[in-house]
Amino acid sequence: MSWLNKLLPPKIKREGRADRPSAVPEGLWSKCSACEAVLYYTDLESNLQVCPKCGHHHPLRARARIDMLLDAEGRRDVGSEVKPVDVLKFKDSKRYVDRLSVAQADTAEDDALVVVQGSILSVPAVAAAFEFKFIGGSMGSVVGERFVRGVEAAVEARAPFICVSASGGARMQEGLNSLMQMAKTSAALDLLTQARLPFISILTDPTMGGVSASFAFLGDVVLAEPGALIGFAGPRVIEQTVRQTLPEGFQRSEFLMQKGAIDQIVDRREMKQRVADLLTLLMREPSVA
Amino acid sequence: MKPTFLDFEQPIAELENKIEELRFVQDDSVLDISEEIARLQKKSQELTKTLYGKLTPWQISQVARHPQRPYTLDYIGALFTDFNELHGDRAFADDPAIVGGMARFNGQSVMIIGQQKGRDTKEKLYRNFGMPRPEGYRKALRLMKLAEKFGMPIITFVDTPGAYPGIDAEERGQSEAIGRNLYEMSKLRVPVISTVIGEGGSGGALAIAIGDYLNMLQYSTYSVISPEGCASILWKTAERASDAAEALGITAHRLKTLGLVDRVINEPLGGAHRDHAQIMNSMKRALVEQLKDLSGRTVDDLLKTRFDRLMSYGRFKEEAA
């Protein structure tokens, strides 16, 4: 926290807290976690949470993702009627239902995936985005079902499907039902295949575990934001298993690119145009500017 | 084979040791102690029955990982003839953590795929403790496609702590390999029957377990994360694995109740390793019935039923937004 933040009266500090990513402290100023530059918050916000000094991509909320990708007009939420239940009556240090309520209050979302139908530079599309602040963007039954409804809405509208991932993996609190969402989401992509509609998968920081090991790498085109952590197992688990230090840049977008796992690394500020370009190419339509 | 006893089975182990000692002295004893031996044997049976009648999920996890539990190759040896193992993913390597190949089941050509653990230290290392790398999953997919081409049903045996969390596995796309299998298996035009025979460790298990029937042995487990892993994340210590096992609902009966598993295959008293012949018989009966059922269906019906089932996974409520 900056010195200025410490001086601010508590009332000002609290304002709009839920709307901002955790890497950015509340207040007027924020410090880039990568280059430590002190930035005026609105500058960062208008720059899609990309540091204007070093280009570091800070976390972006699901709704901001949708705003970044979709045109402002003609939007409709898909699958927002689907809401979580606690089938296992799961309780660790906290009850799952309490975790859900806290996450819902913090994020103003019902669960970790937001799906919206609309258009990208006038190209009709359905876009899904993970809300990482909602229990680590973990995939449970609601995420899986909304994903499938998004795919179905795309097929219905003969529109492509785009998913922006930011997730720690499967949601443990839903037990095996959450594991099965990996199978459900992956299988649903066949509806797009049969309709010859593109699926573009965008991997952002972090895309791990059950999300990474299901639909995330099944995109017709797989894009990643710079510097995102992407992988099956978490770095700590790997380090404990193999008992050696992980190589520099391990599991980052640039590493995956080098290993042949992704198609492109795209700066967030150019993402919308790039996605529109790819979609029109895939659908053999004229280009859009 | 002398059974290995788990921690919670120590009372049984003590009795069995005593029986063993008595048998040893019986040979040069003037007294007839066979009655005493029979009495103790009966007691040991009763004790096993009592213990196994109320196993906790964490204890079941221990049985699922029992070092003498039958592994994939044991089932292949006992239930199939003409097994021809097929190796390699044609791109990088052969992964010994997954075995696969063609064989006959009741005379019918089938493809078998399963994770394989090792018995001794050397084999454990060779099999990487049953933790496949991407090339293992890619080999599995190659064999499934081969089975599809020649119209062979696919039978898989699931027994893995999880996909290997290693540097090389990440470099070669562990995520993609698993995701690809999920997608491709959902559309295979031949019957697929999967049975969890030991540990069903998360995505690494699921990647060979998408199909038309999902069975679990009575004392096997299937979980989104290992109890230890879950405990260390949510309880901040792996010591609470027993609580995590309880909360996660990882046992065959619980999962059957939740509608995620089709059939629970009962195990002999004290677990599958206590009586191989019996577990092989039960397994065979299940496979025969399910294969017969699936062979009677058209490909379209098979695929539609499989897809609908995949789409039905998950519990949620619907309310106006």
Side-chain angles (χ1 to χ4, degrees), chain B residues 36-55:
Chain B
E36 174 68 4
I37 291 174
R39 196 185 62 81
L40 286 177
Q41 271 173 335
K42 190 155 175 268
K43 200 170 161 196
S44 166
Q45 284 266 325
E46 292 295 324
L47 191 60
T48 310
K49 212 179 240 172
T50 319
L51 269 177
Y52 273 73
K54 49 177 173 83
L55 288 185

PDB file of all heavy atoms in Angstrom, chain B residues 36-55:
ATOM      1  N   GLU B  36      -8.219 -74.557  18.025  1.00  0.00           N
ATOM      2  CA  GLU B  36      -7.874 -73.189  18.418  1.00  0.00           C
ATOM      3  C   GLU B  36      -7.587 -72.329  17.177  1.00  0.00           C
ATOM      4  O   GLU B  36      -8.012 -71.179  17.094  1.00  0.00           O
ATOM      5  CB  GLU B  36      -6.655 -73.237  19.359  1.00  0.00           C
ATOM      6  CG  GLU B  36      -6.067 -71.898  19.742  1.00  0.00           C
ATOM      7  CD  GLU B  36      -6.985 -71.052  20.630  1.00  0.00           C
ATOM      8  OE1 GLU B  36      -8.066 -71.550  21.014  1.00  0.00           O
ATOM      9  OE2 GLU B  36      -6.634 -69.895  20.906  1.00  0.00           O
ATOM     10  N   ILE B  37      -6.896 -72.945  16.232  1.00  0.00           N
ATOM     11  CA  ILE B  37      -6.592 -72.215  14.995  1.00  0.00           C
ATOM     12  C   ILE B  37      -7.878 -71.847  14.272  1.00  0.00           C
ATOM     13  O   ILE B  37      -8.070 -70.691  13.842  1.00  0.00           O
ATOM     14  CB  ILE B  37      -5.672 -73.056  14.071  1.00  0.00           C
ATOM     15  CG1 ILE B  37      -4.282 -73.176  14.709  1.00  0.00           C
ATOM     16  CG2 ILE B  37      -5.578 -72.428  12.681  1.00  0.00           C
ATOM     17  CD1 ILE B  37      -3.333 -74.082  13.976  1.00  0.00           C
ATOM     18  N   ALA B  38      -8.773 -72.797  14.166  1.00  0.00           N
ATOM     19  CA  ALA B  38     -10.048 -72.556  13.487  1.00  0.00           C
ATOM     20  C   ALA B  38     -10.819 -71.446  14.194  1.00  0.00           C
ATOM     21  O   ALA B  38     -11.427 -70.596  13.549  1.00  0.00           O
ATOM     22  CB  ALA B  38     -10.879 -73.836  13.459  1.00  0.00           C
ATOM     23  N   ARG B  39     -10.747 -71.464  15.527  1.00  0.00           N
ATOM     24  CA  ARG B  39     -11.459 -70.448  16.297  1.00  0.00           C
ATOM     25  C   ARG B  39     -10.890 -69.059  15.995  1.00  0.00           C
ATOM     26  O   ARG B  39     -11.625 -68.100  15.771  1.00  0.00           O
ATOM     27  CB  ARG B  39     -11.328 -70.755  17.796  1.00  0.00           C
ATOM     28  CG  ARG B  39     -12.322 -70.002  18.688  1.00  0.00           C
ATOM     29  CD  ARG B  39     -12.060 -70.257  20.162  1.00  0.00           C
ATOM     30  NE  ARG B  39     -10.751 -69.790  20.588  1.00  0.00           N
ATOM     31  CZ  ARG B  39     -10.480 -68.510  20.900  1.00  0.00           C
ATOM     32  NH1 ARG B  39     -11.424 -67.604  20.820  1.00  0.00           N
ATOM     33  NH2 ARG B  39      -9.269 -68.157  21.273  1.00  0.00           N
ATOM     34  N   LEU B  40      -9.571 -68.984  15.974  1.00  0.00           N
ATOM     35  CA  LEU B  40      -8.934 -67.699  15.695  1.00  0.00           C
ATOM     36  C   LEU B  40      -9.202 -67.220  14.269  1.00  0.00           C
ATOM     37  O   LEU B  40      -9.379 -66.033  14.009  1.00  0.00           O
ATOM     38  CB  LEU B  40      -7.423 -67.795  15.940  1.00  0.00           C
ATOM     39  CG  LEU B  40      -6.993 -67.847  17.406  1.00  0.00           C
ATOM     40  CD1 LEU B  40      -5.487 -68.020  17.503  1.00  0.00           C
ATOM     41  CD2 LEU B  40      -7.414 -66.576  18.141  1.00  0.00           C
ATOM     42  N   GLN B  41      -9.231 -68.208  13.345  1.00  0.00           N
ATOM     43  CA  GLN B  41      -9.503 -67.838  11.952  1.00  0.00           C
ATOM     44  C   GLN B  41     -10.887 -67.244  11.822  1.00  0.00           C
ATOM     45  O   GLN B  41     -11.086 -66.259  11.108  1.00  0.00           O
ATOM     46  CB  GLN B  41      -9.376 -69.065  11.045  1.00  0.00           C
ATOM     47  CG  GLN B  41      -7.942 -69.224  10.545  1.00  0.00           C
ATOM     48  CD  GLN B  41      -7.730 -70.513   9.797  1.00  0.00           C
ATOM     49  OE1 GLN B  41      -8.455 -71.498  10.021  1.00  0.00           O
ATOM     50  NE2 GLN B  41      -6.741 -70.533   8.933  1.00  0.00           N
ATOM     51  N   LYS B  42     -11.809 -67.855  12.554  1.00  0.00           N
ATOM     52  CA  LYS B  42     -13.181 -67.364  12.514  1.00  0.00           C
ATOM     53  C   LYS B  42     -13.229 -65.942  13.094  1.00  0.00           C
ATOM     54  O   LYS B  42     -13.888 -65.053  12.555  1.00  0.00           O
ATOM     55  CB  LYS B  42     -14.084 -68.300  13.325  1.00  0.00           C
ATOM     56  CG  LYS B  42     -15.554 -68.006  13.142  1.00  0.00           C
ATOM     57  CD  LYS B  42     -16.441 -69.220  13.409  1.00  0.00           C
ATOM     58  CE  LYS B  42     -17.914 -68.864  13.327  1.00  0.00           C
ATOM     59  NZ  LYS B  42     -18.490 -68.485  14.611  1.00  0.00           N
ATOM     60  N   LYS B  43     -12.461 -65.761  14.169  1.00  0.00           N
ATOM     61  CA  LYS B  43     -12.424 -64.462  14.826  1.00  0.00           C
ATOM     62  C   LYS B  43     -11.850 -63.397  13.881  1.00  0.00           C
ATOM     63  O   LYS B  43     -12.350 -62.270  13.806  1.00  0.00           O
ATOM     64  CB  LYS B  43     -11.551 -64.567  16.081  1.00  0.00           C
ATOM     65  CG  LYS B  43     -11.815 -63.462  17.078  1.00  0.00           C
ATOM     66  CD  LYS B  43     -11.125 -63.713  18.394  1.00  0.00           C
ATOM     67  CE  LYS B  43     -11.028 -62.421  19.171  1.00  0.00           C
ATOM     68  NZ  LYS B  43     -10.055 -62.508  20.253  1.00  0.00           N
ATOM     69  N   SER B  44     -10.800 -63.801  13.159  1.00  0.00           N
ATOM     70  CA  SER B  44     -10.177 -62.880  12.212  1.00  0.00           C
ATOM     71  C   SER B  44     -11.162 -62.475  11.117  1.00  0.00           C
ATOM     72  O   SER B  44     -11.242 -61.304  10.727  1.00  0.00           O
ATOM     73  CB  SER B  44      -8.937 -63.549  11.611  1.00  0.00           C
ATOM     74  OG  SER B  44      -8.506 -62.850  10.481  1.00  0.00           O
ATOM     75  N   GLN B  45     -11.916 -63.454  10.634  1.00  0.00           N
ATOM     76  CA  GLN B  45     -12.951 -63.190   9.630  1.00  0.00           C
ATOM     77  C   GLN B  45     -13.989 -62.202  10.156  1.00  0.00           C
ATOM     78  O   GLN B  45     -14.331 -61.231   9.480  1.00  0.00           O
ATOM     79  CB  GLN B  45     -13.687 -64.505   9.297  1.00  0.00           C
ATOM     80  CG  GLN B  45     -12.898 -65.447   8.408  1.00  0.00           C
ATOM     81  CD  GLN B  45     -13.268 -65.239   6.953  1.00  0.00           C
ATOM     82  OE1 GLN B  45     -14.409 -64.954   6.646  1.00  0.00           O
ATOM     83  NE2 GLN B  45     -12.300 -65.379   6.062  1.00  0.00           N
ATOM     84  N   GLU B  46     -14.428 -62.489  11.388  1.00  0.00           N
ATOM     85  CA  GLU B  46     -15.453 -61.637  12.009  1.00  0.00           C
ATOM     86  C   GLU B  46     -14.938 -60.211  12.159  1.00  0.00           C
ATOM     87  O   GLU B  46     -15.639 -59.246  11.868  1.00  0.00           O
ATOM     88  CB  GLU B  46     -15.829 -62.180  13.406  1.00  0.00           C
ATOM     89  CG  GLU B  46     -16.565 -63.512  13.401  1.00  0.00           C
ATOM     90  CD  GLU B  46     -17.938 -63.421  12.742  1.00  0.00           C
ATOM     91  OE1 GLU B  46     -18.583 -62.373  12.906  1.00  0.00           O
ATOM     92  OE2 GLU B  46     -18.334 -64.378  12.056  1.00  0.00           O
ATOM     93  N   LEU B  47     -13.702 -60.139  12.599  1.00  0.00           N
ATOM     94  CA  LEU B  47     -13.089 -58.832  12.819  1.00  0.00           C
ATOM     95  C   LEU B  47     -12.984 -58.056  11.497  1.00  0.00           C
ATOM     96  O   LEU B  47     -13.264 -56.857  11.432  1.00  0.00           O
ATOM     97  CB  LEU B  47     -11.702 -59.024  13.440  1.00  0.00           C
ATOM     98  CG  LEU B  47     -11.011 -57.787  13.978  1.00  0.00           C
ATOM     99  CD1 LEU B  47     -11.840 -57.133  15.064  1.00  0.00           C
ATOM    100  CD2 LEU B  47      -9.628 -58.141  14.528  1.00  0.00           C
ATOM    101  N   THR B  48     -12.581 -58.772  10.453  1.00  0.00           N
ATOM    102  CA  THR B  48     -12.473 -58.144   9.132  1.00  0.00           C
ATOM    103  C   THR B  48     -13.841 -57.636   8.695  1.00  0.00           C
ATOM    104  O   THR B  48     -13.977 -56.530   8.183  1.00  0.00           O
ATOM    105  CB  THR B  48     -11.939 -59.157   8.096  1.00  0.00           C
ATOM    106  OG1 THR B  48     -10.768 -59.768   8.628  1.00  0.00           O
ATOM    107  CG2 THR B  48     -11.614 -58.483   6.782  1.00  0.00           C
ATOM    108  N   LYS B  49     -14.837 -58.478   8.930  1.00  0.00           N
ATOM    109  CA  LYS B  49     -16.199 -58.108   8.547  1.00  0.00           C
ATOM    110  C   LYS B  49     -16.623 -56.838   9.288  1.00  0.00           C
ATOM    111  O   LYS B  49     -17.175 -55.911   8.693  1.00  0.00           O
ATOM    112  CB  LYS B  49     -17.153 -59.262   8.905  1.00  0.00           C
ATOM    113  CG  LYS B  49     -18.329 -59.389   7.944  1.00  0.00           C
ATOM    114  CD  LYS B  49     -19.230 -60.547   8.321  1.00  0.00           C
ATOM    115  CE  LYS B  49     -19.326 -61.577   7.215  1.00  0.00           C
ATOM    116  NZ  LYS B  49     -20.044 -62.783   7.650  1.00  0.00           N
ATOM    117  N   THR B  50     -16.341 -56.802  10.578  1.00  0.00           N
ATOM    118  CA  THR B  50     -16.728 -55.639  11.378  1.00  0.00           C
ATOM    119  C   THR B  50     -15.994 -54.389  10.892  1.00  0.00           C
ATOM    120  O   THR B  50     -16.600 -53.346  10.651  1.00  0.00           O
ATOM    121  CB  THR B  50     -16.369 -55.856  12.867  1.00  0.00           C
ATOM    122  OG1 THR B  50     -16.696 -57.197  13.203  1.00  0.00           O
ATOM    123  CG2 THR B  50     -17.125 -54.903  13.759  1.00  0.00           C
ATOM    124  N   LEU B  51     -14.661 -54.539  10.721  1.00  0.00           N
ATOM    125  CA  LEU B  51     -13.868 -53.386  10.289  1.00  0.00           C
ATOM    126  C   LEU B  51     -14.318 -52.881   8.921  1.00  0.00           C
ATOM    127  O   LEU B  51     -14.476 -51.682   8.709  1.00  0.00           O
ATOM    128  CB  LEU B  51     -12.386 -53.767  10.219  1.00  0.00           C
ATOM    129  CG  LEU B  51     -11.548 -53.552  11.470  1.00  0.00           C
ATOM    130  CD1 LEU B  51     -10.129 -54.041  11.248  1.00  0.00           C
ATOM    131  CD2 LEU B  51     -11.531 -52.070  11.835  1.00  0.00           C
ATOM    132  N   TYR B  52     -14.520 -53.822   7.997  1.00  0.00           N
ATOM    133  CA  TYR B  52     -14.879 -53.445   6.630  1.00  0.00           C
ATOM    134  C   TYR B  52     -16.330 -53.014   6.507  1.00  0.00           C
ATOM    135  O   TYR B  52     -16.729 -52.411   5.517  1.00  0.00           O
ATOM    136  CB  TYR B  52     -14.526 -54.564   5.640  1.00  0.00           C
ATOM    137  CG  TYR B  52     -13.098 -54.427   5.168  1.00  0.00           C
ATOM    138  CD1 TYR B  52     -12.040 -54.743   6.010  1.00  0.00           C
ATOM    139  CD2 TYR B  52     -12.814 -53.920   3.902  1.00  0.00           C
ATOM    140  CE1 TYR B  52     -10.732 -54.568   5.600  1.00  0.00           C
ATOM    141  CE2 TYR B  52     -11.511 -53.748   3.483  1.00  0.00           C
ATOM    142  CZ  TYR B  52     -10.474 -54.072   4.333  1.00  0.00           C
ATOM    143  OH  TYR B  52      -9.184 -53.884   3.918  1.00  0.00           O
ATOM    144  N   GLY B  53     -17.115 -53.357   7.542  1.00  0.00           N
ATOM    145  CA  GLY B  53     -18.510 -52.933   7.523  1.00  0.00           C
ATOM    146  C   GLY B  53     -18.658 -51.440   7.760  1.00  0.00           C
ATOM    147  O   GLY B  53     -19.670 -50.850   7.425  1.00  0.00           O
ATOM    148  N   LYS B  54     -17.657 -50.837   8.365  1.00  0.00           N
ATOM    149  CA  LYS B  54     -17.778 -49.392   8.665  1.00  0.00           C
ATOM    150  C   LYS B  54     -16.486 -48.637   8.341  1.00  0.00           C
ATOM    151  O   LYS B  54     -15.989 -47.858   9.139  1.00  0.00           O
ATOM    152  CB  LYS B  54     -18.174 -49.192  10.130  1.00  0.00           C
ATOM    153  CG  LYS B  54     -17.305 -49.993  11.110  1.00  0.00           C
ATOM    154  CD  LYS B  54     -17.691 -49.687  12.543  1.00  0.00           C
ATOM    155  CE  LYS B  54     -16.998 -50.561  13.527  1.00  0.00           C
ATOM    156  NZ  LYS B  54     -15.749 -50.379  14.031  1.00  0.00           N
ATOM    157  N   LEU B  55     -15.983 -48.892   7.134  1.00  0.00           N
ATOM    158  CA  LEU B  55     -14.781 -48.173   6.703  1.00  0.00           C
ATOM    159  C   LEU B  55     -15.099 -46.704   6.471  1.00  0.00           C
ATOM    160  O   LEU B  55     -16.130 -46.361   5.905  1.00  0.00           O
ATOM    161  CB  LEU B  55     -14.257 -48.767   5.391  1.00  0.00           C
ATOM    162  CG  LEU B  55     -13.588 -50.138   5.428  1.00  0.00           C
ATOM    163  CD1 LEU B  55     -13.030 -50.471   4.042  1.00  0.00           C
ATOM    164  CD2 LEU B  55     -12.475 -50.176   6.459  1.00  0.00           C
TER     165      LEU B  55
END
